[in-house]
Amino acid sequence: MMTDSTSSERLSRVTRLLGSAATEALQNARVIIFGIGGVGSWTAECLARSGVGTLTIVDADVVAESNINRQLVATVSAIGRPKTEVLAERLLDINPDLNLTCRPERYTAETAPTFSLEDYDIVVDAIDSLADKASLIVHATSLPGVTLISSMGAALKSDPTRIAVAEFWKVKGCPLAAALRRRFKKSGIMPRRKFKCVYSDELLPNRGDNTGSRGTMTFGKVAVNGALCHITAIFGFTLAGLAVEKLIQEHR
């Protein structure tokens, strides 16, 4: 168990920059992250290091060898282990006082009622599956007092300078955002309010074959695309930055 003085020292640079009131707001904050792969794993790490006091991480997948190029949780020794379990060990090593909940399961329209999103200040969407992502967006934006931030597609990109933030309906050049908008319009079930997204308008082709990738078509994924760590990490860190800014806005 960390002592109060040790905990204070761990966050001393956060407090020096933001002030004690903002640091306390982060420690009292509650964030849930859906998807802890190439994007969400980096978001979780950043929030833990920034002092967020309560985190819930949600992901049904296990670490695969093909994850190693871009996911924080993926190492050779972790292959085959649940991603939530691996990430939990790391997050608690960063902050043993973290109030951490692991849910090694998939968010779907059917499982949605089991997630009490109204209990959280921030909902982070880093889901790959189009159907599950759409369901979460509709669910989260229907709840007053809950802020949703969402990652659009981070694959098929290499230029970090083209990563940006925009309100969902203003995202340009992202096939995932376009597919979500088509889905919402076709179903007539729309997000209840605006929400911010991290995206890039860059779109590169896959230049290699897919012969080395195994076990990749899981949890509603419809394609296997190439991705790079510096892109997925910046997406994840940007989501974390948006969350931190929202949580401390009253203490600016």
Side-chain angles (χ1 to χ4, degrees):
M1 177 67 69
M2 288 284 191
T3 64
D4 290 341
S5 61
T6 305
S7 178
S8 178
E9 180 64 20
R10 189 173 61 239
L11 295 175
S12 62
R13 300 303 178 91
V14 175
T15 304
R16 186 170 181 81
L17 177 65
L18 302 179
S20 57
T23 302
E24 184 176 357
L26 291 172
Q27 290 177 303
N28 292 331
R30 300 158 298 172
V31 179
I32 185 167
I33 303 172
F34 290 92
I36 54 168
V39 172
S41 59
W42 301 101
T43 303
E45 165 117 350
C46 187
L47 293 178
R49 291 187 183 274
S50 299
V52 168
T54 298
L55 279 177
T56 297
I57 53 176
V58 184
D59 199 306
D61 210 354
V62 299
V63 176
E65 191 170 8
S66 61
N67 302 151
I68 289 175
N69 80 304
R70 68 196 184 283
Q71 298 188 15
L72 179 70
V73 296
T75 60
V76 171
S77 62
I79 292 172
R81 294 181 61 196
K83 291 180 181 178
T84 52
E85 180 181 285
V86 178
L87 185 58
E89 291 175 358
R90 183 175 176 89
L91 297 181
L92 291 172
D93 200 24
I94 292 167
N95 178 11
D97 301 321
L98 180 65
N99 179 16
L100 179 64
T101 300
C102 297
R103 296 192 60 168
E105 54 195 286
R106 179 180 172 185
Y107 178 95
T108 67
E110 291 71 34
T111 64
T114 70
F115 295 93
S116 300
L117 299 189
E118 62 276 5
D119 292 341
Y120 296 91
D121 303 299
I122 305 283
V123 174
V124 177
D125 160 39
I127 293 176
D128 290 329
S129 162
L130 182 66
D132 298 344
K133 194 176 197 74
S135 177
L136 177 61
I137 288 170
V138 171
H139 184 187
T141 58
S142 71
L143 300 171
V146 175
T147 296
L148 171 71
I149 52 178
S150 180
S151 173
M152 296 294 105
L156 300 178
K157 304 171 195 309
S158 68
D159 185 351
T161 67
R162 291 173 69 169
I163 298 171
V165 175
E167 192 277 320
F168 171 68
W169 294 101
K170 295 182 179 179
V171 171
K172 304 294 184 182
C174 174
L176 178 55
L180 283 166
R181 289 194 288 260
R182 287 193 300 270
R183 186 182 185 91
F184 290 140
K185 290 175 181 178
K186 183 177 181 179
S187 69
I189 304 173
M190 311 289 279
R192 300 293 183 87
R193 62 176 182 272
K194 295 178 180 179
F195 60 97
K196 289 183 177 180
C197 300
V198 180
Y199 76 102
S200 168
D201 64 358
E202 182 181 24
L203 189 62
L204 301 173
N206 285 310
R207 298 185 185 278
D209 61 35
N210 197 37
T211 56
S213 184
R214 291 174 286 179
T216 51
M217 303 300 284
T218 58
F219 304 112
K221 296 178 184 178
V222 295
V224 178
N225 291 312
L228 295 170
C229 186
H230 67 279
I231 297 295
T232 62
I234 294 172
F235 266 65
F237 287 142
T238 305
L239 287 173
L242 292 172
V244 168
E245 286 298 312
K246 176 64 177 178
L247 292 168
I248 66 170
Q249 65 180 359
E250 295 179 3
H251 305 286
R252 281 302 200 184

